[in-house]
Amino acid sequence: MKRLAALITAVFVLCAAAFSKGFFDGRVFEYKITAPVDISNNVFAVNDIMKETVVIDLRKIAESIPDDGFAFVMGFKPNIQVNLNIAAVSVGTRVGLDAYGKIGISKGLFDFIGKGFKTGDELDVTLSPTLDLFAYSELNFGLKLSRFQLYVKPGLFTPLLSTSGSKGGVKILNTEDGSIIIKTDAQVDVYSSMNIEKLMDKNFDPTNLNVKSLIFDNLGFDLAMGMSLPLSKRLVVSADARIPIVPATINYRTSMSFSSESEISMSSMENANFEMPSPEFSTTEISGYKLNRPMKVLGYVDFYPLGNFLDLRLGGGLGIYHPFMDTAKAYPQYYLGMTLNLINMLKLSLSTEYTDQVFVHQLGAVVNLRLVEVDAGVSMQSSSFTKSWLITGLGAYVVLCVGF
């Protein structure tokens, strides 16, 4: 009987704690390391490859390519944070890298491989490599009064590397005598904070690299801010935004070009004359190229039907890649998720979202022992909504936080 009473008391205490705040709410001082990585495409699923017998149907692959072509996307955003929380005020700093890359191939190439084309037809294939690599540092000033929260994060950033797409591509001609002529004539402008021409010099001495000039001479400035406001005990509205203020400057531009011409005789492969294109780099020149980090605006509604134990979140907004530039691209954003929270000691979350031009369906968990907290998750993702459910891409993140 005593054991039953003790068990009932323990369950009651845990349930009461689940709907209230307590010891695990937050730390006065914390040091946090975050390491997320994402890789995805919009065509090939893991299930298509992880089979005992893999059947490659080129026609089926060609038919599965969307009209805007094949896209391979990758992201890596490691960062380190230090935060100090005293009463209702928080102050902190964060430094990190923000890398985003995308390679696009037009649908025509896959149509040629899978379906072929008639004699005399000419096919144009475009390649679109995109890469942005930023280093950044942010300050965090926050204010928390009851459930009302407000934060401001001014940030300095410097672009280390960026591309602005490509010019030209590959032309494939099917001649009347049964030969295929492949002409490559493509150019990619690579913008960098370092002189690539000097880096490729065999006599380059990395000890002579002026790191201070590399980082501080090209700085840009943007401002992130956000707030949350409770409308009732169960309903909270919030908003987050990052607004570009001053663009950064990349000092150097180097053109990377590919040029070749090959002829393949389908009647006699012995006479094939295929030339693999190799990159040629132009003389590096001063560019003065201006660049901003993506602009983001998102609004949220949080519903707590069971107090802090269950959080249902719905969000929507707008993102702009390369804002205020010729390569600017606007895209909608959404977020839908739920989180189960046991006194902030254990959290389980499930969410779906479209941010950074990628659809992500994520499962995450948090174990918080106050002195140490581990946050980890895995996700399925793709730049195509339908393909994102078929495991055409995977993501993972780990957050380690220590403090008191």
Side-chain angles (χ1 to χ4, degrees):
M1 191 67 181
K2 291 182 179 180
R3 291 182 179 179
L4 180 59
L7 178 61
I8 293 174
T9 301
V11 172
F12 176 79
V13 170
L14 285 175
C15 290
F19 297 89
S20 62
K21 298 183 178 181
F23 177 75
F24 299 99
D25 271 0
R27 284 166 287 274
V28 176
F29 172 82
E30 61 182 9
Y31 180 81
K32 184 182 295 186
I33 300 175
T34 304
V37 60
D38 310 301
I39 299 176
S40 68
N41 76 94
N42 63 341
V43 177
F44 303 104
V46 174
N47 295 338
D48 297 333
I49 302 173
M50 303 299 292
K51 294 181 179 180
E52 184 175 348
T53 302
V54 179
V55 179
I56 301 177
D57 189 334
L58 297 179
R59 174 174 287 272
K60 184 178 180 181
I61 292 174
E63 292 174 348
S64 68
I65 302 293
D67 292 338
D68 55 355
F70 171 79
F72 177 79
V73 182
M74 52 190 171
F76 184 47
K77 301 179 180 180
N79 63 79
I80 299 174
Q81 300 180 53
V82 177
N83 298 311
L84 180 64
N85 308 299
I86 300 177
V89 178
S90 63
V91 180
T93 183
R94 177 171 68 169
V95 296
L97 294 175
D98 193 343
Y100 171 83
K102 181 178 180 180
I103 300 175
I105 304 176
S106 63
K107 179 179 174 62
L109 177 61
F110 296 91
D111 287 337
F112 164 69
I113 295 175
K115 302 177 182 179
F117 57 96
K118 299 178 181 178
T119 300
D121 286 351
E122 186 176 78
L123 175 67
D124 288 332
V125 179
T126 58
L127 305 176
S128 304
T130 300
L131 175 64
D132 284 332
L133 176 59
F134 295 96
Y136 68 89
S137 177
E138 297 176 343
L139 295 177
N140 177 29
F141 302 96
L143 178 65
K144 184 176 181 180
L145 299 174
S146 184
R147 294 177 68 181
F148 171 78
Q149 299 182 52
L150 176 69
Y151 76 83
V152 178
K153 294 181 180 180
L156 294 174
F157 64 93
T158 182
L160 303 178
L161 194 66
S162 180
T163 64
S164 63
S166 63
K167 302 174 184 177
V170 180
K171 289 187 177 181
I172 304 174
L173 175 64
N174 190 2
T175 64
E176 295 182 357
D177 62 0
S179 298
I180 295 177
I181 298 177
I182 303 174
K183 296 181 179 180
T184 303
D185 185 14
Q187 177 180 311
V188 180
D189 289 332
V190 180
Y191 296 89
S192 61
S193 56
M194 295 180 288
N195 189 325
I196 294 180
E197 191 175 1
K198 289 184 178 180
L199 291 178
M200 297 181 64
D201 189 337
K202 62 181 181 180
N203 297 320
F204 173 72
D205 184 359
T207 59
N208 295 330
L209 189 64
N210 190 338
V211 178
K212 182 179 179 181
S213 175
L214 170 67
I215 296 177
F216 293 101
D217 288 355
N218 312 312
L219 289 178
F221 174 71
D222 53 26
L223 182 64
M225 62 188 75
M227 56 79 65
S228 65
L229 177 67
L231 301 181
S232 67
K233 290 183 179 180
R234 296 186 177 182
L235 195 64
V236 177
V237 295
S238 59
D240 294 312
R242 184 169 70 195
I243 309 298
I245 306 297
V246 178
T249 302
I250 305 183
N251 288 334
Y252 302 103
R253 180 181 67 188
T254 306
S255 293
M256 183 171 59
S257 60
F258 299 84
S259 180
S260 68
E261 183 172 344
S262 304
E263 182 174 351
I264 301 175
S265 175
M266 303 307 294
S267 60
S268 177
M269 295 302 292
E270 294 180 358
N271 296 328
N273 178 24
F274 182 76
E275 179 184 353
M276 180 66 70
S278 57
E280 296 181 359
F281 295 90
S282 68
T283 301
T284 300
E285 58 185 25
I286 301 299
S287 70
Y289 187 65
K290 303 292 184 180
L291 190 62
N292 283 305
R293 292 198 293 174
M295 177 178 174
K296 301 178 181 181
V297 179
L298 272 165
Y300 299 95
V301 176
D302 289 87
F303 179 53
Y304 298 86
L306 301 175
N308 291 327
F309 179 68
L310 177 61
D311 177 8
L312 304 177
R313 165 168 273 208
L314 174 64
L318 179 70
I320 302 178
Y321 175 74
H322 282 183
F324 311 116
M325 296 180 59
D326 294 338
T327 53
K329 179 182 179 180
Y331 53 92
Q333 299 189 112
Y334 80 84
Y335 180 92
L336 178 63
M338 62 174 291
T339 300
L340 297 176
N341 183 355
L342 181 63
I343 59 172
N344 285 334
M345 183 177 66
L346 176 64
K347 295 180 182 179
L348 296 174
S349 63
L350 185 64
S351 65
T352 176
E353 63 183 277
Y354 180 68
T355 52
D356 296 325
Q357 305 180 73
V358 175
F359 292 96
V360 178
H361 314 298
Q362 185 166 273
L363 174 65
V366 177
V367 177
N368 178 14
L369 303 178
R370 188 175 176 88
L371 296 180
V372 178
E373 177 181 328
V374 178
D375 183 357
V378 294
S379 62
M380 302 182 299
Q381 51 185 260
S382 174
S383 57
S384 165
F385 179 75
T386 54
K387 292 293 185 178
S388 64
W389 299 98
L390 302 177
I391 319 181
T392 57
L394 295 172
Y397 70 90
V398 176
V399 181
L400 176 63
C401 184
V402 294
F404 56 87

